[in-house]
Amino acid sequence: MSADVRSTDPELAELLDLELKRQSQTLALIPSENHVSAAVLAASGSVLTNKYSEGYAGRRYYEGQQIIDRIETLAVDRAKALFGVDHANVQPYSGSPANLAIYLAFLEPGDTVMGMALPMGGHLTHGWNVSITGKFFRSVQYVVERETGLVDFEKVRELALKERPKLIFCGGTAIPRTIDFAAFRSIADEVGAILVADIAHIAGLIAGGAHPSPVSYVDVVSTTTHKTLRGPRGAMLMAKTEHARKIDSAVFPGLQGGPHNHTTAAIAVALHEALQPSFKDYAHQIVANAKALADTLLAEGFDLVTGGTDNHLILIDLTNKEIPGKAAAKALDKAGLVANYNTVPYDPRRPFDPSGLRIGTPAVTTRGLREPEMRMIGRWMSQGVEAAKARDDTRLGQIRDEVQELAGTFPLPGA
Ligand code: DSN
């Protein structure tokens, strides 16, 4: 941390130090989190935060854009190269505004949108009822099958033919398996819908060749930049040329004002990192680690939604372990294993106290942990859950010591 923060605001500096210590001494298993590089951190904390630049490169409403235009163009060009897209917009503040811009680009209020229901693994902004996208639009939601945890495409097709959505989302936040973009394309074509792939969770896997790309199948790709892609907190929209103008004017001036230029610069750095050959190794290791962790959890008697994983994410149904997700997550946090409680498909419990636990491997893979460490994590999780059920805080403290010792041998990048 910079000496300037320490001398100007010691109170805040202390909090930053404590958070660095927390991240260093624990293992981040939340699948949407990651540890960015020192270069991404530095770009995020740069003088670019001082600049307003509403508009797009060459078409701004403020002067002094000589360098900002070059930075944004660099980020856009790198996004196009990495994902093989015609057009990229790097200005959305995060995933939810990015998705809202898509509605603004293609729908009128009251039009029909179809997405995966939130408790089934979708996202709030894919039309869930408490979100603006479920309130201002007519939303129909597809589900996964109770037995398999997978989408039945014939049922999605029937729903689409009945409801005739103008826009269909595929992708989500708790999907442990490969997404069949071709199947969604064929349904979208049958009903004449715009197809959007929300790849926020899997963007880094796609960039690194560890998950198929949606680019040749969909009209628009939406992604955050801070999950498997390992950039700053931000988002991008990517599209075919024919949709470029609509997307750009929906983001600005439709929804947002000035872009966060420091974030744009950090996105450019992250995209540069993702274009390096080593990022392919990283993406494949994320998946190898998730599979190793899933295998250990299965061996420890955990019930995994869909029976395992193809990607970075594992969704555990704790019903058979006789502990709710929230109690398990809180106990594991005490043990230095940071996860999040999550609904599972057809969850009989409430969203704020659901049956599931969601974990993932992007952050621990960044730190350099491999399959042997995944097996250790799986066993610690099992012991942690048993300790939680027995209200054995001493055992949770012992696990925390063991986790901390391991974490100490895998320093955070950028720390
Ligand atoms: N909050 C993100 C996640 O954790 O998956 C989705 O918006």
Side-chain angles (χ1 to χ4, degrees):
M1 193 231 314
S2 114
D4 296 320
V5 181
R6 214 175 293 284
S7 61
T8 302
D9 189 346
E11 190 180 359
L12 192 274
E14 189 194 349
L15 294 174
L16 288 178
D17 283 343
L18 287 172
E19 174 60 10
L20 175 60
K21 187 171 164 199
R22 188 198 67 78
Q23 290 189 21
S24 301
Q25 295 184 344
T26 59
L27 295 175
L29 295 174
I30 293 172
S32 45
E33 293 184 0
N34 214 327
H35 301 293
V36 299
S37 67
V40 168
L41 273 184
S44 287
S46 64
V47 291
L48 300 174
T49 200
N50 300 339
K51 189 76 194 101
Y52 249 119
S53 46
E54 287 178 15
Y56 291 100
R59 297 175 281 136
R60 306 280 187 186
Y61 291 82
Y62 296 76
E63 295 311 312
Q65 308 296 342
Q66 297 84 347
I67 312 303
I68 296 295
D69 276 4
R70 289 171 64 185
I71 290 168
E72 188 170 320
T73 302
L74 198 57
V76 166
D77 288 347
R78 286 175 178 171
K80 286 159 67 174
L82 184 63
F83 289 99
V85 289
D86 296 341
H87 179 72
N89 184 311
V90 297
Q91 294 193 4
Y93 298 144
S94 203
S96 296
N99 285 348
L100 201 51
I102 297 171
Y103 286 77
L104 189 59
F106 297 105
L107 302 185
E108 296 295 330
D111 280 349
T112 303
V113 58
M114 187 166 97
M116 181 185 264
L118 180 67
M120 300 284 159
H123 189 256
L124 277 168
T125 57
H126 297 181
W128 189 239
N129 54 12
V130 299
S131 148
I132 186 172
T133 63
K135 290 180 191 287
F136 286 22
F137 300 91
R138 180 177 167 268
S139 167
V140 291
Q141 302 265 275
Y142 56 88
V143 298
V144 296
E145 295 302 291
R146 194 183 281 271
E147 292 308 313
T148 60
L150 302 172
V151 168
D152 178 335
F153 281 100
E154 194 43 44
K155 289 189 181 164
V156 177
R157 178 174 170 269
E158 282 167 17
L159 185 65
L161 287 170
K162 180 166 166 266
E163 304 289 352
R164 312 299 298 189
K166 275 179 83 174
L167 195 139
I168 299 175
F169 273 97
C170 55
T173 61
I175 302 174
R177 294 295 181 178
T178 301
I179 298 168
D180 186 346
F181 298 117
F184 280 107
R185 176 76 266 165
S186 111
I187 293 166
D189 281 346
E190 263 193 270
V191 298
I194 295 283
L195 180 61
V196 180
D198 184 338
I199 62 165
H201 265 260
I202 54 175
L205 303 185
I206 291 167
H211 187 290
S213 168
V215 167
S216 58
Y217 297 107
V218 306
D219 300 284
V220 182
V221 176
S222 170
T223 187
T224 52
T225 47
H226 47 271
K227 298 186 175 88
T228 48
L229 195 54
R230 211 166 56 186
R233 301 194 83 90
M236 305 192 296
L237 289 173
M238 299 177 277
K240 298 181 190 308
T241 306
E242 65 192 277
H243 302 308
R245 190 180 282 268
K246 272 188 177 171
I247 290 288
D248 284 354
S249 51
V251 173
F252 174 84
L255 199 64
Q256 297 187 174
H260 294 175
N261 297 309
H262 53 300
T263 300
T264 304
I267 290 173
V269 176
L271 292 169
H272 174 74
E273 291 174 354
L275 281 159
Q276 306 312 307
S278 60
F279 199 83
K280 288 190 170 44
D281 299 337
Y282 168 61
H284 284 94
Q285 189 63 47
I286 290 174
V287 177
N289 279 353
K291 285 180 184 294
L293 181 50
D295 287 346
T296 307
L297 292 170
L298 288 169
E300 294 286 338
F302 283 94
D303 179 10
L304 307 187
V305 174
T306 78
T309 181
D310 296 330
N311 54 30
H312 65 303
L313 183 148
I314 298 164
L315 187 58
I316 306 171
D317 183 344
L318 289 165
T319 308
N320 70 334
K321 292 281 186 183
E322 298 179 339
I323 181 171
K326 192 174 191 172
K330 290 200 174 297
L332 292 174
D333 190 45
K334 282 188 192 165
L337 300 167
V338 187
N340 72 274
Y341 56 88
N342 213 92
T343 51
V344 295
Y346 303 98
D347 203 325
R349 300 180 62 87
R350 292 169 298 128
F352 200 56
D353 189 16
S355 303
L357 197 61
R358 191 184 67 149
I359 58 171
T361 54
V364 288
T365 306
T366 291
R367 289 178 81 165
L369 279 70
R370 297 286 179 268
E371 287 89 337
E373 291 82 28
M374 296 304 118
R375 291 189 269 277
M376 293 168 75
I377 292 172
R379 288 194 292 270
W380 280 326
M381 287 183 65
S382 180
Q383 293 160 13
V385 162
E386 293 311 316
K389 285 162 64 178
R391 300 184 189 282
D392 185 351
D393 275 5
T394 307
R395 179 63 193 128
L396 291 175
Q398 288 166 349
I399 298 171
R400 186 183 179 96
D401 290 344
E402 293 167 33
V403 168
Q404 193 172 317
E405 193 181 334
L406 179 75
T409 59
F410 293 95
L412 293 187

